[in-house]
Amino acid sequence: MNIYLLEPYYTGSHKAWADGYARASRHRVTRLTMPGYFWKWRMHGGAVTLTESLREAAASHPPHLLLISDMLDATTLLALTRDLTARVPVVFYFHENQLTYPPVPGSKRDLHYGWINYASSLVSEHVLFNSRYHLEVWYDELPRLLKHFPDFVPLETIAGLRQRSSVLPPGVSLERLRAPVESELPPRGHAGTPPLILWNHRWEFDKNPQDFFALLDRIAAAGLPFRLALAGESFRNLPEEFLAAGERFREQLVHFGRATREQYRALLQRSDIIISTAQHEFFGIATIEAIGAGAMPLLPQRLSYPELIPPSWHARVLYSSLDDAFERLAAWLRDGVPEHTLLQASVERYDWRQLAPRYDTLFERLVAAR
């Protein structure tokens, strides 16, 4: 089966998802991509560019199914390729959405981009979300978007959309992450070495680095030793809060800035604790990667995190406030990180070896139904 995966924002988690599925699928998955810049322009113009890519590729391998990222206007793409795609099922994948993704502080949400997401889901046979949390917040907010309009409000479409929606997480290649890698960092649990705390999220406002650094300030003031790795991707100049933290924690820092693939694997394998203070998270690939590589998570009791963690572990790793997070982290640094081998094993369900067959089976069913 020829699956065409269209991703106009080919970077970060979008790239990891596209590459991971293409490698793990039992079908031929052709990625049609564009660089991950200028997200608004990608949502407007990406469909025109990828139309040409699709036509060129389909000349030798006609598509059986289109898997389209939420950063693409599926309506425009299908209109421009109706001679080619009229009988080809479309799956629309929500990594994020433009109705509940938090706008940059000081800016106002442009509802047009949420409408592109909505219209794209309307023309799709199936709609996938990366988490149950994401599905619920989208369908909670969607009626409010539609009620902005003066008449002919299509609220009746929501039930049908929800009926053909489901959850399929993005996979993680755990085997690749766990492959041995050389590093000057001592192995996890090395005698006399303070625990290593890892930040491996984007360096952006929605990940709430202010609370993360405030938490570390309290830990440092309490005199508890730790090491710190600040890794991750930034889509602007180095944020001021990270530069300031780099100075404050220079004695604890073992890594600062974007990591190469090998550096990142080494950090994952040698970190003791992964912390999130995010205000927004639709899934959490970085968190799954860290847990899968052996780090103990400390996560907020909100967003997608409760569904990533088995219920039996919620009381140990999900915190309700920064005070709660401080008490737990202080105890781990003082008394030792709790044994969490079973928690590490629990994320095997997110490995592409487990998830790709679920994608494949769904797509086969949709093609057969056509």
Side-chain angles (χ1 to χ4, degrees):
M1 190 164 78
N2 294 325
I3 298 172
Y4 281 87
L5 189 158
L6 290 87
E7 176 55 80
Y9 204 75
Y10 186 61
T11 191
S13 61
H14 289 237
K15 183 179 186 298
W17 167 74
D19 292 349
Y21 178 56
R23 281 193 300 263
S25 174
R26 57 180 173 258
H27 299 298
R28 179 191 180 105
V29 179
T30 301
R31 286 155 286 179
L32 304 179
T33 67
M34 299 170 67
Y37 305 114
F38 316 120
W39 71 269
K40 290 184 177 182
W41 173 228
R42 292 294 182 266
M43 291 192 72
H44 283 293
V48 178
T49 300
L50 291 182
T51 289
E52 296 306 313
S53 301
L54 178 59
R55 286 194 178 279
E56 290 175 10
S60 56
H61 297 91
H64 296 112
L65 180 136
L66 302 182
L67 176 56
I68 296 178
S69 158
D70 64 274
M71 298 301 287
L72 187 70
D73 182 355
T75 62
T76 298
L77 180 104
L78 295 179
L80 293 172
T81 62
R82 59 188 181 274
D83 59 310
L84 174 65
T85 59
R87 297 191 57 79
V88 176
V90 174
V91 177
F92 192 67
Y93 194 92
F94 275 105
H95 293 273
E96 61 269 312
N97 75 78
Q98 299 307 320
L99 287 184
T100 66
Y101 194 104
V104 174
S107 68
K108 185 178 180 180
R109 186 185 307 280
D110 186 338
L111 296 178
H112 176 65
Y113 297 97
W115 178 268
I116 292 176
N117 284 161
Y118 163 68
S120 293
S121 65
L122 278 179
V123 299
S124 301
E125 271 69 26
H126 201 83
V127 183
L128 287 175
F129 291 82
N130 53 2
S131 69
R132 176 60 54 179
Y133 164 78
H134 190 181
L135 183 151
E136 296 298 339
V137 296
W138 166 259
Y139 283 115
D140 180 63
E141 188 62 27
L142 185 55
R144 284 186 277 276
L145 167 72
L146 300 181
K147 288 176 183 178
H148 273 83
F149 304 108
D151 63 2
F152 297 99
V153 176
L155 293 174
E156 72 281 358
T157 62
I158 296 177
L161 280 175
R162 185 161 190 146
Q163 189 173 16
R164 61 179 190 264
S165 297
S166 62
V167 175
L168 260 182
V172 176
S173 299
L174 292 176
E175 189 175 25
R176 288 170 175 256
L177 292 177
R178 294 167 179 166
V181 59
E182 293 185 5
S183 174
E184 295 180 356
L185 294 172
R188 184 182 292 128
H190 187 264
T193 304
L196 176 57
I197 297 172
L198 174 65
W199 169 286
N200 64 334
H201 317 285
R202 283 184 289 106
W203 293 21
E204 296 291 334
F205 71 95
D206 60 301
K207 301 306 180 186
N208 192 18
Q210 291 87 349
D211 278 358
F212 176 75
F213 294 129
L215 176 61
L216 294 188
D217 284 333
R218 292 181 64 179
I219 291 294
L224 294 167
F226 64 92
R227 293 173 298 141
L228 177 64
L230 297 177
E233 191 172 24
S234 177
F235 294 97
R236 52 187 168 119
N237 294 330
L238 286 179
E240 183 61 38
E241 59 266 30
F242 280 86
L243 292 174
E247 286 297 314
R248 283 204 312 284
F249 301 114
R250 60 183 178 274
E251 293 184 2
Q252 291 96 343
L253 273 177
V254 301
H255 180 90
F256 183 87
R258 188 162 186 164
T260 65
R261 190 171 300 179
E262 287 200 351
Q263 287 174 326
Y264 183 59
R265 280 169 44 212
L267 289 172
L268 289 176
Q269 293 174 18
R270 288 158 174 78
S271 293
D272 298 277
I273 300 167
I274 166 73
I275 299 176
S276 172
T277 50
Q279 295 172 335
H280 152 257
E281 187 65 84
F282 286 133
F283 180 70
I285 286 182
T287 298
I288 293 298
E289 288 177 339
I291 296 172
M296 179 70 167
L298 183 60
L299 310 169
Q301 193 173 10
R302 59 177 186 269
L303 309 172
S304 61
Y305 293 117
E307 67 186 274
L308 299 185
I309 302 299
S312 60
W313 284 85
H314 283 189
R316 282 172 278 187
V317 305
L318 301 181
Y319 64 84
S320 57
S321 66
L322 272 186
D323 287 341
D324 184 17
F326 170 75
E327 294 297 333
R328 292 171 192 239
L329 180 58
W332 294 354
L333 295 175
R334 184 176 55 246
D335 305 327
V337 178
E339 163 61 36
H340 55 285
T341 304
L342 292 178
L343 177 59
Q344 180 182 3
S346 75
V347 302
E348 294 292 334
R349 68 188 187 277
Y350 295 114
D351 192 279
W352 272 120
R353 290 169 293 185
Q354 303 291 327
L355 282 172
R358 293 174 57 192
Y359 280 69
D360 289 343
T361 299
L362 171 62
F363 299 163
E364 289 160 7
R365 178 172 60 81
L366 292 172
V367 170
R370 271 295 178 105

